Amino acid sequence: MDILQATILGLIEGATEFLPISSTGHMIVASHWLGISQNEENKAFEVIIQLAAILAVVANYRDKFTIAHLELWKKVCLAFIPVGIVGLLLHKQIKAMFTVETVAVMFIVGGIIFLVVEYLHRGKSYPVQRVEEISYRQALWIGLAQVCALIPGTSRAGASIIGALLVGLNRKASAEFSFLLALPVMMAASGFDLLKHYQDFIGADVIALATGFVVAFVSAWLVMRLFIHFLERFTFVAFGVYRILFGALLLWGLS
């Protein structure tokens, strides 16, 4: 992988990981278009840029890492359990679904769901305005909704945000809980992949790895902040439309 490819993939990972548009789907499509083979070295690269995105969450929400927020983190851990169990038991079957066709279909399905949820919630007031106000029951339901994101193209952020909206969190609180929930999910996934591919770092291009890491961190840090400001004024409709158009474009390209 050269520096340009590392920069592009780092940017895509950082820009899409926390938006409801599926970072995995974009990475699969981008790798396909860039002609990047899914060899062990390139899989190791993806682990590195995912770790950068994790650090971006820590950087943006470092105020949440205090004893005062212990209850919040208990709820985050509870929400992680369903996807952790299903992901561990079915990881081979999930990997087999990593195709552009699956991504395209799930982009469209997810986009339609966003539009329907926003239509049904027009003018609705949400009882949970701050992420700290979430209950254990709500956290569990969000965790169950996140299991759907194991299908490539669904979007981890998208599934958890939809689940949060349906159980009463407002848009900002839904996005912030999704950011925090990304930590255990991505740490588990990255840790699992790291154990599988740690030997592949030996032959990896250090400059390409460093470039991808820095680009992914900066873009993820910036996108999270911009996303929250966006949700203070707008809905998720634009993301629903984008998903449908992008999915349709992928299907058209495959025909």
Side-chain angles (χ1 to χ4, degrees), residues 76-154:
V76 170
C77 291
L78 176 64
F80 163 72
I81 292 174
V83 75
I85 294 174
V86 177
L88 182 62
L89 295 176
L90 302 178
H91 68 276
K92 291 183 179 179
Q93 292 85 344
I94 293 166
K95 290 292 185 182
M97 293 190 289
F98 277 39
T99 65
V100 176
E101 292 85 351
T102 301
V103 169
V105 171
M106 294 313 299
F107 258 89
I108 295 172
V109 171
I112 292 172
I113 291 174
F114 262 108
L115 295 182
V116 171
V117 169
E118 282 290 3
Y119 177 78
L120 295 176
H121 286 72
R122 289 178 302 170
K124 177 181 176 180
S125 60
Y126 294 89
V128 178
Q129 299 292 312
R130 297 171 59 250
V131 69
E132 289 83 1
E133 298 170 0
I134 187 173
S135 69
Y136 281 98
R137 176 178 292 183
Q138 289 170 324
L140 181 57
W141 277 114
I142 295 169
L144 291 171
Q146 187 179 230
V147 173
C148 298
L150 293 172
I151 304 174
T154 302

Side-chain angles (χ1 to χ4, degrees), residues 19 60-61 171-173 175-176 179 221-236 239:
L19 298 180
N60 267 324
Y61 289 92
R171 295 181 183 88
K172 181 180 178 182
E176 289 187 331
F179 294 164
W221 178 85
L222 181 60
V223 166
M224 276 190 285
R225 298 177 72 87
L226 293 176
F227 187 36
I228 291 300
H229 288 305
F230 175 89
L231 294 179
E232 290 174 347
R233 298 180 58 190
F234 304 104
T235 69
F236 290 105
F239 295 100

Side-chain angles (χ1 to χ4, degrees), residues 27-247:
M27 290 289 284
I28 292 172
V29 173
S31 296
H32 178 74
W33 284 349
L34 291 170
I36 299 174
S37 61
Q38 286 298 299
N39 57 34
E40 299 307 309
E41 184 178 322
N42 290 335
K43 289 178 181 178
F45 172 81
E46 292 178 4
V47 174
I48 288 297
I49 59 178
Q50 286 176 346
L51 291 174
I54 292 173
L55 287 179
V57 177
V58 176
N60 267 324
Y61 289 92
R62 55 189 178 276
D63 61 306
K64 306 295 185 189
F65 293 86
T66 64
I67 296 298
H69 290 89
L70 182 59
E71 283 298 307
L72 173 61
W73 286 107
K74 289 180 181 178
K75 296 164 188 174
V76 170
C77 291
L78 176 64
F80 163 72
I81 292 174
V83 75
I85 294 174
V86 177
L88 182 62
L89 295 176
L90 302 178
H91 68 276
K92 291 183 179 179
Q93 292 85 344
I94 293 166
K95 290 292 185 182
M97 293 190 289
F98 277 39
T99 65
V100 176
E101 292 85 351
T102 301
V103 169
V105 171
M106 294 313 299
F107 258 89
I108 295 172
V109 171
I112 292 172
I113 291 174
F114 262 108
L115 295 182
V116 171
V117 169
E118 282 290 3
Y119 177 78
L120 295 176
H121 286 72
R122 289 178 302 170
K124 177 181 176 180
S125 60
Y126 294 89
V128 178
Q129 299 292 312
R130 297 171 59 250
V131 69
E132 289 83 1
E133 298 170 0
I134 187 173
S135 69
Y136 281 98
R137 176 178 292 183
Q138 289 170 324
L140 181 57
W141 277 114
I142 295 169
L144 291 171
Q146 187 179 230
V147 173
C148 298
L150 293 172
I151 304 174
T154 302
S155 171
R156 186 208 60 77
S160 56
I161 286 172
I162 286 293
L165 290 173
L166 292 177
V167 297
L169 278 70
N170 70 3
R171 295 181 183 88
K172 181 180 178 182
S174 296
E176 289 187 331
F177 191 75
S178 175
F179 294 164
L180 300 179
L181 184 53
L183 279 178
V185 173
M186 293 174 67
M187 287 175 67
S190 297
F192 182 77
D193 286 337
L194 193 60
L195 289 175
K196 289 174 58 181
H197 302 294
Y198 73 94
Q199 292 181 327
D200 300 303
F201 290 103
I202 298 173
D205 186 330
V206 175
I207 297 178
L209 285 175
T211 300
F213 183 91
V214 172
V215 172
F217 173 83
V218 173
S219 55
W221 178 85
L222 181 60
V223 166
M224 276 190 285
R225 298 177 72 87
L226 293 176
F227 187 36
I228 291 300
H229 288 305
F230 175 89
L231 294 179
E232 290 174 347
R233 298 180 58 190
F234 304 104
T235 69
F236 290 105
V237 168
F239 295 100
V241 172
Y242 171 82
R243 290 181 62 104
I244 293 171
L245 293 177
F246 191 77

